[in-house]
Amino acid sequence: MTRPRRRLRLPVDPYILALLGMVVLATLLPALGVAAEAASGASTVVVGLLFFLYGAKLSTREALDGVRHWRLHTTVLACTFVVFPLLGLAARGLVPWLLTPALYSGFLFLCLVPSTIQSSIAFTSMAKGNVPAAICAGSFSSLLGMVLTPLLAVVLLGSSGGGFSAGSALKIALQLLAPFLAGQLLRRWIGGFLARHRRIIGFVDRGSILLVVYTAFSQGVVAGIWQQVTWPRLLALLAAEAVLLAVMLSLTWYGAARMGFGRADRIAIQFAGSKKSLAAGLPMATVLFASNASLAVLPLMLFHQMQLMVCAVIAKRRSRDPEAAAEPVPVAGPGGA
């Protein structure tokens, strides 16, 4: 008698459902008049707060300790800030017959944001890969993304992204980089407090992003976003993102093998090099795209959930590889992270 196969449960992140709930709420009850001004002002404040907390929580020492495994980190950074943007530029051929110019701007923007930290570590650990390397790779990506993402957006998106200019760069510096650097400078004194109250800080993080999403989509609804995005266009966007994710997962896995990395390192490269951070990308989009932020964040939100579902399946299968039991997981040391 054969035992019934257990069905693999795909992770539908409750937070993604909350984000989608904000989209629905903004569609049904968009902020108007004085409420819109209040929401916009509050959104500006919480974006600054978010990046202050990012700076205060991110351990620079932990990231710098991983420099010894520079080949792995360079590979992940190249995937995040070189290969992804090149694929995003190649997708320009999908306009206008598959993607609208506005959706393409959002698609290209998602190719520019840094990698994730938490989910990269979680999936690398599940697949029995090099967890220290995933921690350092995600930290490097987050640090460099604070500078590279806005600069790449200015260069590659140009006027299509909402009117980028020297004034936009100054706004980015004041609203994103300044709070982040302030958090890094104050981390010595407030880092312990944040670590002890991690749960509460997490609620502040996530609640702030929910407000950012509601504000962005409220502006989009008032501007007629749902008249610009039809169901066929939305399905086309999902298809384009599925291809993008499949290409990056393949390149990071097989490319790392060709470069001579071992199994544990290849896992870290695949999960850190194929992901994009929703937490970092959403606040950046509100600053970079202003009134067009709703269309800019939609591709990123969809890609985020897609990468979670697909990578969960891959990580579970990797954990059952025969090599997983035979190959020890690297720890920090010469040549390791």
Side-chain angles (χ1 to χ4, degrees):
M1 181 177 178
T2 59
R3 297 173 62 182
R5 295 181 63 184
R6 294 178 61 185
R7 296 181 63 185
L8 181 64
R9 296 179 61 186
L10 297 178
V12 178
D13 190 346
Y15 188 57
I16 290 292
L17 297 179
L19 288 170
L20 294 176
M22 290 296 101
V23 174
V24 173
L25 179 62
T27 301
L28 299 176
L29 295 172
L32 301 171
V34 176
E37 294 178 5
S40 179
S43 180
T44 300
V45 172
V46 300
V47 166
L49 174 63
L50 278 172
F51 279 85
F52 175 80
L53 292 175
Y54 293 160
K57 290 186 297 182
L58 184 60
S59 173
T60 309
R61 176 180 296 178
E62 187 177 67
L64 295 178
D65 284 344
V67 171
R68 287 170 292 184
H69 207 357
W70 62 270
R71 285 185 65 243
L72 185 149
H73 303 314
T74 302
T75 301
V76 172
L77 291 174
C79 290
T80 303
F81 297 115
V82 178
V83 180
F84 254 115
L86 288 176
L87 292 174
L89 290 173
R92 183 67 177 83
L94 301 178
V95 181
W97 62 278
L98 200 61
L99 298 178
T100 64
L103 282 179
Y104 170 71
S105 293
F107 183 89
L108 180 55
F109 173 72
L110 87 82
C111 293
L112 309 182
V113 302
S115 178
T116 63
I117 299 179
Q118 291 89 346
S119 62
S120 295
I121 295 169
F123 289 133
T124 299
S125 177
M126 184 188 304
K128 301 179 181 178
N130 190 338
V131 176
I135 294 172
C136 294
S139 299
F140 279 137
S141 182
S142 295
L143 283 169
L144 289 179
M146 287 297 304
V147 176
L148 288 182
T149 297
L151 288 178
L152 287 171
V154 170
V155 172
L156 300 181
L157 282 163
S159 60
S160 64
F164 295 134
S165 61
S168 299
L170 179 61
K171 185 177 181 182
I172 292 164
L174 292 175
Q175 195 169 345
L176 303 182
L177 290 178
F180 180 84
L181 293 175
Q184 280 280 289
L185 291 173
L186 295 176
R187 188 179 188 279
R188 177 180 178 183
W189 295 279
I190 66 176
F193 174 83
L194 296 178
R196 290 192 301 272
H197 299 84
R198 188 174 301 171
R199 187 177 181 86
I200 297 175
I201 299 303
F203 282 124
V204 173
D205 278 357
R206 296 190 164 208
S208 298
I209 292 176
L210 290 176
L211 175 60
V212 169
V213 171
Y214 173 75
T215 303
F217 274 91
S218 285
Q219 295 172 347
V221 168
V222 173
I225 177 178
W226 299 124
Q227 284 71 47
Q228 302 175 50
V229 183
T230 61
W231 278 107
R233 294 289 192 182
L234 194 58
L235 293 175
L237 173 63
L238 286 170
E241 292 188 342
V243 172
L244 175 67
L245 181 59
V247 169
M248 288 306 302
L249 287 170
S250 299
L251 283 176
T252 49
W253 181 250
Y254 295 108
R258 292 292 299 271
M259 295 174 68
F261 287 101
R263 176 188 175 278
D265 287 348
R266 289 171 67 194
I267 288 172
I269 291 170
Q270 183 177 50
F271 290 128
S274 64
K275 288 197 177 52
K276 290 297 180 178
S277 173
L278 184 70
L282 281 177
M284 286 183 181
T286 62
V287 177
L288 295 170
F289 290 86
S291 60
N292 299 320
S294 54
L295 281 175
V297 302
L298 182 61
L300 181 58
M301 289 173 59
L302 295 175
F303 188 83
H304 180 81
Q305 181 58 32
M306 186 183 297
Q307 71 185 10
L308 288 180
M309 297 173 68
V310 174
C311 289
V313 174
I314 293 174
K316 195 153 190 172
R317 290 180 177 175
R318 295 261 186 268
S319 69
R320 295 195 292 263
D321 288 345
E323 298 92 334
E327 183 177 333
V329 176
V331 294

